[in-house]
Amino acid sequence: MALCCGAALLAGCGSDDGGAEQGSRPHPPLKGSPAVGKAAERPDPGDFNGDGYDDYAAVLDADGLHDDRGRATLTVVYGSKKGLLTGSADRLRGRSDDELFAALHRADLDGDGFTDLIGSRMESDDWQTFVMHGGPRGLSGPRPLQLSPATRVLAVGDFDGDGAADLIDGGRGGSGDITAMEPKQDPAAVLLGPFTRDGSPSRSIPLDLGQHGFISPRTAVTGDVDGDRRTDALLFYDFDVEQDDTAPEDLTSIAYLRGDRTKGLVPGPAVRPDLYESMATADGVRGGTIADVDGDGISDVVASGVDDDGYAGGAESPGQVTVIHGSRNGLGRGRPATRLQLPSRASSLWGSGPQVGDVTGDERPDLLVGDADPRGRIGGQLTLLPGGDEGPRIADRQTVDPTAEGLPSRTGRPDRWSGFDANAMLDLNGDGRQDVVVYADKWEPREHERGSGRRSKERMSAFLAFRGTADGLDPAQVQYFTSEDVSGGPTLE
């Protein structure tokens, strides 16, 4: 098995032509209807139908199919005792080849005890934010939220602490936004729930997030970092002001907002210098996530960045993860920050995309991080840091990459240069352990019909759902599927 602990390296190896070791043949797509679920007072955010199995949702394309099946498609694959029901997926297809779907969010918007899916779809200047309501048999078709057409949902949380889900509308545009069609800026707001069934919030309170009209936040992460039972938020901005004389002097790349019982969100304390430093890279702030990493019941900031100490002279700074611990006295006002770094020199991208969950089933949170440019002849790598009494344990880390022995492949020759990105951590089979869905963008070769009888070879992407086990991620227990496996006619309208 090509999982490794401690300082051991992955044993997987492959030939020089890009093929990894012989893997197992994937099983056919798993068919069946999801179990009929029931409402819960606090529904699991991963489970749309309340049946005890988390469900996978993503925007997919048909991986090179050149008919209308190649349109962007919001695809929902329900969990079951055996894993994802890949042969019975639900699909919401783009209305045209040009329509795009924005980031997806999960929350019980209307308070009926089922988790809903919130998303946006855009074609040209037509932008619509919608909700797909959860229910005992799965998600409904999309229903527009009764919001401004300029609404851009950045994150969900319970910002006022009343038990109902709220949304952050980050606004859009600004004079310094080079992607904006025009320099005007649409304002931001916190949209307080519960939402009515027709998609109207209980209240909408304006937020000043636009930095004097210059730039709107790009992304946000949320969690309760001070233990007051109200969700807080970190906002991240992306800008280039080298040749822009109009940029405000107090421009910031990170903003910290605290949950507030009356106003939903209010400006928090000034962003700590160590928070900036923990996320800073040569290309700007990398970001991170908010989750309870040390198991004390209060969320922490898990920051992804690089270590610049001692790497002068043009050498690449190694990636690192910094945990800034939450406390009842405020973020970073309790125990000192924890810095996690590989003992051997890592690439600058090690620690990207952190995700937190109990993969091993020991009721302690584990930390999963990625590396899109690892050292060695591979295209990507994941590192699992098991949880301990004080938090993630770097010494007991476990790594997996495309060369791991036993990974499924239709051709038996997965490409070692394929990307290897964890894009979801969910309990897909209801065993109490978090599973990890990995997207491999160039997993294996296939022939493609190009018309007039001509055929060409290309690389096909795949999804690999690693089952969580007491020992971590096991390449011998992986469910394989492709975009084609879950494609078909629309089922959600």
Side-chain angles (χ1 to χ4, degrees), residues 306-318:
V306 296
D307 176 18
D308 286 327
D309 294 342
Y311 288 94
E316 181 184 60
S317 299

Side-chain angles (χ1 to χ4, degrees), residues 145-228:
L145 291 176
Q146 303 304 307
L147 304 172
S148 161
T151 298
R152 185 171 59 98
V153 176
L154 284 187
V156 302
D158 181 10
F159 304 113
D160 57 1
D162 66 351
D166 313 313
L167 304 177
I168 297 177
D169 170 13
R172 67 179 69 240
S175 61
D177 185 351
I178 61 174
T179 67
M181 301 290 291
E182 50 188 71
K184 75 167 188 172
Q185 187 176 66
D186 294 309
V190 57
L191 310 172
L192 298 178
F195 282 63
T196 62
R197 192 72 178 180
D198 71 355
S200 299
S202 297
R203 287 189 296 158
S204 176
I205 301 176
L207 289 175
D208 183 10
L209 305 182
Q211 303 209 49
H212 310 293
F214 186 77
I215 193 73
S216 297
R218 172 175 49 91
T219 57
V221 292
T222 59
D224 180 9
V225 299
D226 53 14
D228 65 356

Side-chain angles (χ1 to χ4, degrees), residues 87-168:
S88 308
D90 273 340
R91 294 169 293 275
L92 175 65
R93 186 176 297 165
R95 293 167 293 187
S96 74
D97 292 345
D98 298 324
E99 183 168 72
L100 303 174
F101 290 92
L104 305 176
H105 305 278
R106 301 173 183 237
D108 181 10
L109 269 195
D110 56 0
D112 67 350
F114 290 99
T115 296
D116 309 314
L117 184 64
I118 302 104
S120 299
R121 56 200 309 180
M122 179 184 69
E123 183 178 10
S124 187
D125 293 331
D126 179 16
W127 186 280
Q128 181 191 80
T129 303
F130 61 86
V131 60
M132 300 165 73
H133 287 115
R137 298 184 181 277
L139 291 175
S140 71
R143 299 177 182 177
L145 291 176
Q146 303 304 307
L147 304 172
S148 161
T151 298
R152 185 171 59 98
V153 176
L154 284 187
V156 302
D158 181 10
F159 304 113
D160 57 1
D162 66 351
D166 313 313
L167 304 177
I168 297 177

Side-chain angles (χ1 to χ4, degrees), residues 8-24:
L9 297 176
L10 268 170
C13 59
S15 62
D16 290 339
D17 63 2
E21 289 286 342
Q22 179 78 17
S24 62

